[in-house]
Amino acid sequence: MKTSAQLESMLRDIDRRSYPAYKSLKGAYSFGSYCLSIDHVQGDPFASPSRLTIHITSAASGFSPELWKTEDRKTAFCDFLLRQFERAVQTYSFQAKGSGKSGALFTTRPGQEVLRRTACIVEGQTILLRFEAGFPANGRTINSRELSKILFEYLPRCVSQALFYKNTDRKALREAIQLYEDQQTVRSLLKELDLAAFVADGSILPRMTGVSDKPMKGAEPFASPASRKVILSLPHAGELSGMGIPKGITLITGGGYHGKSTLLKALEAGVYNHIAGDGREFVITDDTAVKLRAEEGRIVKKVDISPFINHLPGGKDTSCFSTEDASGSTSQAAGVMEGIEAGARLFLIDEDTCATNFMVRDELMQRVIAPDKEPITPFLKRIRPLFTDMGISTILVVGSSGAYFQAADCVIQMDCYHAYDITERAKEEAARFSSGMEGSSDGPFPKARTNRALEFSSKRRDGGRPVKIRAQGRDGFLYDKTLVDLRYVEQLVDEEQSRALGYILLYLQTHPLPGKDMASCLSVLWEKLKKEGLESIVSSDCPPFMAMPRLQEIFACVNRCRL
């Protein structure tokens, strides 16, 4: 390892030379209390910024290893440091001048969720923090004096503010870790209490705007119906009350604009833990939950959708169904079966985003179109067997059809953002209602093939030109020139998760995994990711900005790629 003095000397030597001379700086340098490694140098000032890593030991930083002695603590600790570093870096980004991306300082900008990220990790007793910097230039000529400002003035200040215990808000750090541990405790209690989800009293569910995930100011705090109230005992927060949503079939109903979809959106996000002040800190959902919806135009690859769609015109086989352009109903049927394959224990559904003919058929339609002419078995007929036979609960938002009242175990009405338990009244009205509407089935869920092979149409890459992964926000990523469309995988919350899915897909194409089918192969990969992190599936030059997706999103990505 070289010294910071040697780095200063090298910077003086290459000043005003052509930009590629910056590549001579690649390597590790000691700055006394921390080490700075320059991992990748950009090709020109207009290219993606250079990648750097700070290495600092627990002894030098002053942080006790007790802060990361468990995986939960480590996740919360790294998230806290990253947020501190991001605030410090914002002050100095583009303070150094030059052309192109000169002077840029980038690190992860975490959202409301606490995610495991490659930007900050702990290895043994060493904290690693990855970031990007635009190496300054005038035109395409090196301006090393401006880079010296970044590396010897701005960066040490950022490190001092973010990575030293003496300068840290110790109370805030302690509370962040305790909050995460309390949230994980609630997840454990869901299983013990046979709950699919929990919404704490006082939660703020509405978001500020359609493009901001921050809590809405002045919003009505959530209050649990008395009949659904449960009280949990947490290690740090003590007693916490809120609405327990039982396993089984739960309907969320009410008039338009009264908060039905807002509650469901909060439950969708409840598969992740949230930071203090988010308002949904204790909206906790079964972490395997999958949001289902219609996805017209998506690809479907060899999925057995026969429990929902059969005897198609032309005798097309639906036990191994493939299409490049799915309809609303076939895409939703595929989504259900793929969710089962991905290990989901809870489905979240909003009728507003569903294919109507997949969800229900009314009396008049049954009279006009004979059953033997309709290939679709509505979800209504399968919702009960999904729970009794497969152990998969459903939380469904309904506002236009009462067909699901008979099947429901619990009915929650949202009225001006207040929740009311109307299960008894809804069941009474459903029993009195005389209609030819198809009822739910108590028969077994049809046997279906859920052991598809993990395969790609293109050849696996074993060398040659490297594959480029370029995230397109949360909506997907480019795998070289192929777009993997994830717009309707609604539980992806961060662009860095999309980027990580790109590298996971690359790993799957280049590293055969043990297992006879997709589920077993991806299970092996998931265990590797949980144990070794996203760093384990990339080269030594790890992309700094990736965030861990869930296993369910990995399945969703594989199922939607056209490779």
Side-chain angles (χ1 to χ4, degrees), residues 190 194-197 245-251 285-286 288-292 336 339-340 343-349 379 382-396 409:
L190 290 183
D194 276 339
L195 297 177
I245 298 179
K247 292 180 179 178
I249 302 167
T250 296
L251 303 187
T285 309
D286 185 308
T288 67
V290 170
K291 170 69 186 302
L292 295 177
V336 174
I340 294 172
R345 298 187 295 267
L346 173 63
F347 288 142
L348 305 171
I349 305 174
F379 188 72
R382 302 298 189 213
I383 192 170
R384 174 56 60 184
L386 263 175
F387 178 59
T388 55
D389 299 342
M390 310 296 288
I392 302 174
S393 300
T394 301
I395 299 176
L396 171 63
D409 299 308

Side-chain angles (χ1 to χ4, degrees), residues 142-345:
I142 287 174
N143 186 340
S144 64
R145 290 159 294 172
E146 292 296 301
L147 181 56
S148 290
K149 288 182 183 178
I150 295 174
L151 301 182
F152 291 92
E153 293 181 35
Y154 305 155
L155 189 57
R157 295 173 194 168
C158 294
V159 172
S160 176
Q161 292 175 36
L163 299 182
F164 284 89
Y165 183 64
K166 64 182 181 181
N167 298 326
T168 295
D169 184 336
R170 302 173 191 187
K171 181 174 181 286
L173 172 58
R174 182 177 66 253
E175 289 176 348
I177 292 174
Q178 290 178 348
L179 173 61
Y180 194 92
E181 290 181 327
D182 279 345
Q183 290 165 334
Q184 293 297 88
T185 298
V186 176
R187 295 193 186 280
S188 300
L189 290 172
L190 290 183
K191 298 180 178 67
E192 293 180 21
L193 299 174
D194 276 339
L195 297 177
F198 174 83
V199 184
D201 290 332
S203 296
I204 302 299
L205 306 186
R207 299 295 92 188
M208 186 179 293
T209 67
V211 294
S212 172
D213 210 27
K214 294 182 178 179
M216 180 185 290
K217 294 179 180 178
E220 187 74 29
F222 183 84
S224 171
S227 58
R228 294 295 169 187
K229 189 182 292 288
V230 297
I231 297 177
L232 308 180
S233 180
L234 306 183
H236 304 294
E239 288 193 347
L240 178 69
S241 67
M243 179 174 72
I245 298 179
K247 292 180 179 178
I249 302 167
T250 296
L251 303 187
I252 302 172
T253 190
Y257 307 102
H258 280 261
K260 303 187 302 296
S261 295
T262 299
L263 174 55
L264 190 74
K265 281 287 184 185
L267 294 171
E268 288 173 33
V271 297
Y272 303 107
N273 292 341
H274 291 79
I275 60 172
D278 172 77
R280 301 167 298 180
E281 295 94 321
F282 288 105
V283 179
I284 305 293
T285 309
D286 185 308
D287 57 13
T288 67
V290 170
K291 170 69 186 302
L292 295 177
R293 60 165 296 152
E295 297 180 59
E296 247 181 287
R298 66 155 284 197
I299 187 172
V300 175
K301 298 183 290 187
K302 299 183 179 179
V303 180
D304 186 352
I305 60 172
S306 60
F308 296 97
I309 300 178
N310 232 316
H311 58 269
L312 288 175
K316 188 169 184 178
D317 184 16
T318 59
S319 66
C320 188
F321 182 80
S322 297
T323 179
E324 292 286 326
D325 185 18
S327 67
S329 56
T330 54
S331 66
Q332 200 163 348
V336 174
M337 301 310 296
E338 291 166 351
I340 294 172
E341 192 175 30
R345 298 187 295 267

Side-chain angles (χ1 to χ4, degrees), residues 307-312 327 329-330 333 355-361 371 373-379 381 438:
F308 296 97
I309 300 178
N310 232 316
H311 58 269
L312 288 175
S327 67
S329 56
T330 54
T356 304
N357 61 339
F358 177 77
M359 296 301 292
V360 70
R361 295 175 71 227
K373 299 298 182 182
E374 175 54 72
I376 301 174
T377 301
F379 188 72
K381 301 284 287 184
E438 289 182 308

Side-chain angles (χ1 to χ4, degrees), residues 472-500:
Q472 306 288 295
R474 288 184 296 182
D475 290 344
F477 58 88
L478 284 170
Y479 187 97
D480 268 353
K481 296 182 180 180
T482 301
L483 176 65
V484 179
D485 187 353
L486 302 174
R487 284 175 298 165
Y488 299 128
V489 182
E490 295 180 326
Q491 287 166 291
L492 284 173
V493 294
D494 197 295
E495 176 180 343
E496 294 189 9
Q497 290 178 303
S498 299
R499 184 176 293 109

